[in-house]
Amino acid sequence: TELAQFIDEDFDKSTECNELTQDLLSHSPTNFASPTLHFCRHDQRDALLEFRDEFPTGVFDPKTWNKSSDCCFWEGVRCDDKYGQVISLEPYNPSLNGSLKTNSSLFRLQHLRHLNLLGCNLQGEIPSLLGNLSRLTLINLSHNYLVGEIPISIVNLKWLKHLSLEGNALIGEIPSSIGKLNQLRYLGLRGNALIGEIPSSLGNLSCLENLVLGNNHLVGEVPASIGNLSCLESLELESNHLVGEVPASMGNLYQLKVMFLSYNNLSGILCQRFRENKICHPPRREILQNKTATYNLSLDLHYAYLDGYLKTNTSLFRLRYLRHLNLQECYLQGEIPSSLGNLSRLTVLDLSNNILVGEIPTSIVNLKRLRHLSLGGNALIGEIPISLGKLYQLRNLSLWGNELKGEIPSSLGNLSCLENLVLGNNHLVGEVPASIGNLSCLESLYLESNHLVGEVPASIGNLKELKAMWLGHNSLCGSFSISFANLTKLSNISLRSNNFTSTLPSDMSGFHKLEHFDVGNNSFFGPFPKSLFSIPCLQTVYLDNNQFTGVIDLGGNRFDGPIPESISKFPNLEDLHLQHNNFTGKIPRSVSKLVLHRVDLSYNMLEGQVPVCLCRLFFLTIFSAASKTLHKKH
């Protein structure tokens, strides 16, 4: 009754896909129509019973499924009213705990139109024989444990209107042939491990209303052909690796109501292209939901001024099909209710940048499907629950900027899918656990501004995908680990304000993607590697307040701006070569505090007087500052 009322209130029954919507939202078997004139065919009955027996005994055993009753009245089964053929299979809350066999008896149900095996604990690959069920209009295999690639045989399903394979572990590329399914209204592939580019052929799906490809590893640009989808209402491409500008053709999507493009590397001007569609200024309070499934409910109120408390018995926690909950920066106060753990289908939970207090509720461990947990920027206290290490689907864990204490749980090393671990700006103590080295997918490690001690574990060298490592402002010690040499994808390294005591490696050219390097405020000594300055992507280097000796040779580059006064923080520097650059301003007086032997500042754009205090450089043998704008004081 509640679902029927929900449909009546929220959906336009004049749309062509109303029948599809009604069928998918009908979760109770009592809503299925049963034949009034013809009974179930025996071949259909036998195929269903054999399908049941393909799974472990006692796991999938609906009580109504037996030979003594009409299969058209079985739980989750719907038949054609006239001919008695099975046209819909939607078992009620089953747990199959097995694989779809290549020759499964399921594929003998040739008149099947709806196949809904959502959340059935299905495993293994999707059999290519699925493409033989040519009458299918709906396939929902979401939230299972399916692996392998999307079978290209799906292109045979010419009548398909709804395809949902979300929340699995599918790999490979999105088949371009999906663009031939010209009846498709809903395409959901979110939350897999798909790679490659978004096929431009998807722009041929002229009836498509929902395109859901978020939380994958898709690359490349958003194809301009997406702008051809004139019926599109929801576009969800978040959490991929997309680049480039959002194509101007997307301004043609006049029916668009929901657009998620976050957590990519997109650029360019967006708002000007979407002002007519009001995408840039959406309502503050809006429940973002999928028109064809209550199973994909999302609630996004980020930046809304809620200014209140999450009550323990809030109606929010009755939305048992809620998958995305984003209450970022909503001025929420009080503690996080333990009843949050009842939302067992959540994959995204973002409560960051609020005024939340208290401890992280251990009930979060009930959210087994959680992939993104962000509680940063609050005032949470206590320790990080060890049980977080059981959220095996987690890809992003962000707890930065709280008042958390205790040690980093070694159990976090069990999160084999984790890509971002953000624990900075807390009061964490102890050593960095060696188990962090187990996180083979980790791309970002943020542990800065805590009270961590000890040496960085050598196991960090196992993190071959790591791009950013921020360990600054702790009390870490030891050397610049040899194991760091394995981290060739690093673009950011910060070890600032620790107690490291060693030399830097003489050859750092292996860090060929390095952009930012900060080892300031430590006790590094010896010559710093010249190879550091041959890295083509390097933008910023901080070496201040260490015990480096030897030569700085930055000649023949395009450095600009004034020579920094902080040059004096290299007290043992002997040679300074800054010639043939674009430095401007005056020669800093702080240079006189060094023990320089050779200085070359020639062929820059320096001006003013040569400081008299340079006479204090008693060991100086060569000084060159050739410039038309420099002059010495008489």
Side-chain angles (χ1 to χ4, degrees):
T1 303
E2 292 176 354
L3 282 174
Q5 183 179 359
F6 175 67
I7 298 169
D8 290 340
E9 293 174 352
D10 294 301
F11 296 112
D12 180 4
K13 290 191 175 181
S14 64
T15 59
E16 295 180 12
C17 69
N18 187 58
E19 180 182 352
L20 172 63
T21 307
Q22 290 278 8
D23 287 335
L24 184 61
L25 290 175
S26 298
H27 193 64
S28 169
T30 59
N31 287 330
F32 291 128
S34 299
T36 55
L37 299 177
H38 294 267
F39 294 100
C40 174
R41 293 162 50 120
H42 287 183
D43 63 316
Q44 304 282 284
R45 177 200 64 191
D46 294 343
L48 287 171
L49 291 175
E50 289 177 29
F51 175 67
R52 178 197 64 185
D53 295 340
E54 290 173 9
F55 299 96
T57 304
V59 174
F60 176 44
D61 191 17
K63 296 179 180 179
T64 59
W65 285 37
N66 57 72
K67 283 191 174 183
S68 62
S69 61
D70 190 324
C71 74
C72 294
F73 292 92
W74 288 358
E75 178 184 296
V77 177
R78 180 181 174 186
C79 294
D80 177 82
D81 289 345
K82 187 174 182 180
Y83 298 107
Q85 296 151 333
V86 174
I87 60 173
S88 180
L89 179 61
E90 185 177 2
Y92 179 68
N93 197 27
S95 182
L96 300 180
N97 286 339
S99 303
L100 280 175
K101 296 181 179 180
T102 304
N103 59 346
S104 172
S105 58
L106 173 69
F107 304 129
R108 300 212 307 269
L109 302 174
Q110 288 293 311
H111 294 272
L112 202 61
R113 298 178 195 169
H114 290 188
L115 176 62
N116 189 350
L117 299 179
L118 168 75
C120 293
N121 292 326
L122 277 175
Q123 304 161 23
E125 298 187 359
I126 301 173
S128 61
L129 280 180
L130 183 65
N132 291 350
L133 299 178
S134 59
R135 290 179 173 83
L136 277 175
T137 62
L138 181 148
I139 297 176
N140 191 349
L141 303 180
S142 294
H143 302 297
N144 285 291
Y145 300 95
L146 298 171
V147 298
E149 298 187 358
I150 299 172
I152 57 175
S153 61
I154 283 181
V155 73
N156 299 330
L157 308 178
K158 302 298 185 182
W159 301 105
L160 200 62
K161 295 184 178 182
H162 182 107
L163 175 60
S164 182
L165 305 177
E166 302 175 47
N168 285 288
L170 300 173
I171 61 172
E173 299 186 0
I174 299 173
S176 59
S177 55
I178 287 182
K180 297 180 180 179
L181 300 176
N182 52 24
Q183 299 295 316
L184 209 58
R185 307 287 176 86
Y186 182 92
L187 176 59
L189 305 177
R190 181 207 303 279
N192 284 285
L194 298 172
I195 60 173
E197 298 186 355
I198 299 173
S200 61
S201 60
L202 298 188
N204 299 329
L205 303 175
S206 57
C207 295
L208 199 67
E209 296 176 359
N210 298 273
L211 179 58
V212 185
L213 306 180
N215 288 92
N216 279 288
H217 303 296
L218 301 174
V219 298
E221 299 185 353
V222 178
S225 61
I226 296 294
N228 300 334
L229 305 177
S230 57
C231 296
L232 200 67
E233 297 182 3
S234 178
L235 176 63
E236 303 179 32
L237 307 179
E238 78 282 359
S239 298
N240 280 290
H241 307 292
L242 302 174
V243 297
E245 295 192 1
V246 176
S249 60
M250 283 175 58
N252 301 328
L253 305 179
Y254 296 110
Q255 302 302 317
L256 200 63
K257 298 177 181 177
V258 176
M259 181 173 67
F260 293 151
L261 303 179
S262 57
Y263 299 103
N264 282 291
N265 293 307
L266 298 170
S267 60
I269 300 173
L270 182 63
C271 284
Q272 291 180 1
R273 295 172 183 167
F274 294 96
R275 288 195 190 280
E276 294 180 6
N277 297 346
K278 299 180 180 179
I279 291 295
C280 289
H281 306 283
R284 282 288 187 182
R285 297 172 179 266
E286 180 179 14
I287 293 181
L288 305 178
Q289 60 203 19
N290 207 311
K291 289 186 67 175
T292 54
T294 58
Y295 305 118
N296 294 330
L297 187 63
S298 296
L299 178 62
D300 190 340
L301 301 177
H302 69 286
Y303 305 132
Y305 188 75
L306 300 181
D307 192 21
Y309 297 81
L310 280 175
K311 297 179 181 179
T312 303
N313 61 345
T314 177
S315 58
L316 173 67
F317 301 137
R318 297 205 301 270
L319 298 173
R320 61 194 183 101
Y321 289 113
L322 194 64
R323 291 183 57 244
H324 288 198
L325 178 59
N326 187 351
L327 300 179
Q328 176 188 0
E329 203 165 328
C330 291
Y331 296 90
L332 288 172
Q333 306 169 30
E335 298 187 359
I336 302 173
S338 61
S339 49
L340 180 67
N342 296 337
L343 300 176
S344 59
R345 286 177 170 80
L346 272 183
T347 61
V348 174
L349 174 60
D350 192 340
L351 302 179
S352 60
N353 293 309
N354 283 290
I355 319 171
L356 298 171
V357 298
E359 298 187 357
I360 299 172
T362 55
S363 61
I364 283 182
V365 73
N366 299 330
L367 309 180
K368 301 297 186 183
R369 298 176 178 178
L370 206 60
R371 299 190 176 205
H372 178 96
L373 175 60
S374 181
L375 305 177
N378 285 288
L380 301 174
I381 61 173
E383 298 186 359
I384 299 173
I386 295 174
S387 56
L388 290 185
K390 296 181 179 180
L391 299 176
Y392 302 118
Q393 300 296 318
L394 212 56
R395 295 186 181 182
N396 299 287
L397 175 59
S398 178
L399 305 176
W400 65 272
N402 283 287
E403 304 291 329
L404 299 172
K405 61 181 184 179
E407 298 186 355
I408 299 173
S410 61
S411 62
L412 298 187
N414 299 329
L415 304 176
S416 57
C417 295
L418 201 65
E419 296 176 359
N420 298 282
L421 179 59
V422 186
L423 306 179
N425 292 90
N426 280 288
H427 303 294
L428 301 174
V429 298
E431 299 185 353
V432 179
S435 62
I436 296 294
N438 299 335
L439 305 177
S440 58
C441 296
L442 201 67
E443 297 182 2
S444 301
L445 177 62
Y446 292 86
L447 305 180
E448 76 278 14
S449 299
N450 281 290
H451 307 293
L452 302 174
V453 298
E455 297 189 2
V456 178
S459 60
I460 293 289
N462 299 332
L463 307 179
K464 302 294 180 61
E465 301 300 318
L466 201 63
K467 297 176 182 177
M469 180 172 66
W470 297 82
L471 305 179
H473 301 282
N474 282 288
S475 297
L476 299 170
C477 62
S479 61
F480 190 92
S481 177
I482 297 175
S483 66
F484 290 171
N486 298 328
L487 309 179
T488 56
K489 293 186 178 181
L490 275 174
S491 61
N492 291 272
I493 299 177
S494 176
L495 306 179
R496 170 171 286 276
S497 298
N498 279 287
N499 300 317
F500 289 104
T501 54
S502 72
T503 59
L504 293 178
S506 58
D507 184 7
M508 298 191 67
S509 59
F511 297 102
H512 55 277
K513 295 187 177 181
L514 194 62
E515 297 178 3
H516 305 285
F517 183 70
D518 186 353
V519 294
N521 284 340
N522 280 285
S523 297
F524 287 109
F525 58 87
F528 57 85
K530 297 179 181 179
S531 58
L532 182 66
F533 300 106
S534 66
I535 298 174
C537 300
L538 195 65
Q539 297 177 18
T540 58
V541 178
Y542 294 96
L543 306 172
D544 54 290
N545 291 317
N546 282 284
Q547 303 297 319
F548 290 116
T549 60
V551 178
I552 290 183
D553 188 348
L554 303 179
N557 283 287
R558 290 182 289 181
F559 292 111
D560 55 19
I563 299 173
E565 290 283 347
S566 59
I567 196 75
S568 63
K569 295 184 178 180
F570 297 94
N572 299 313
L573 192 65
E574 296 180 357
D575 286 19
L576 178 62
H577 298 275
L578 304 179
Q579 72 277 8
H580 291 281
N581 279 288
N582 297 316
F583 287 112
T584 57
K586 298 180 179 181
I587 298 174
R589 301 173 66 85
S590 58
V591 172
S592 63
K593 299 178 182 180
L594 304 176
V595 291
L596 290 169
H597 292 196
R598 289 167 288 274
V599 177
D600 191 347
L601 307 178
S602 59
Y603 299 102
N604 281 285
M605 293 183 284
L606 299 170
E607 58 187 11
Q609 299 176 346
V610 177
V612 175
C613 59
L614 293 187
C615 297
R616 300 173 190 165
L617 297 174
F618 299 111
F619 299 98
L620 191 64
T621 58
I622 297 176
F623 178 80
S624 176
S627 173
K628 294 180 180 180
T629 53
L630 271 177
H631 59 277
K632 64 181 180 179
K633 188 174 182 179
H634 296 288

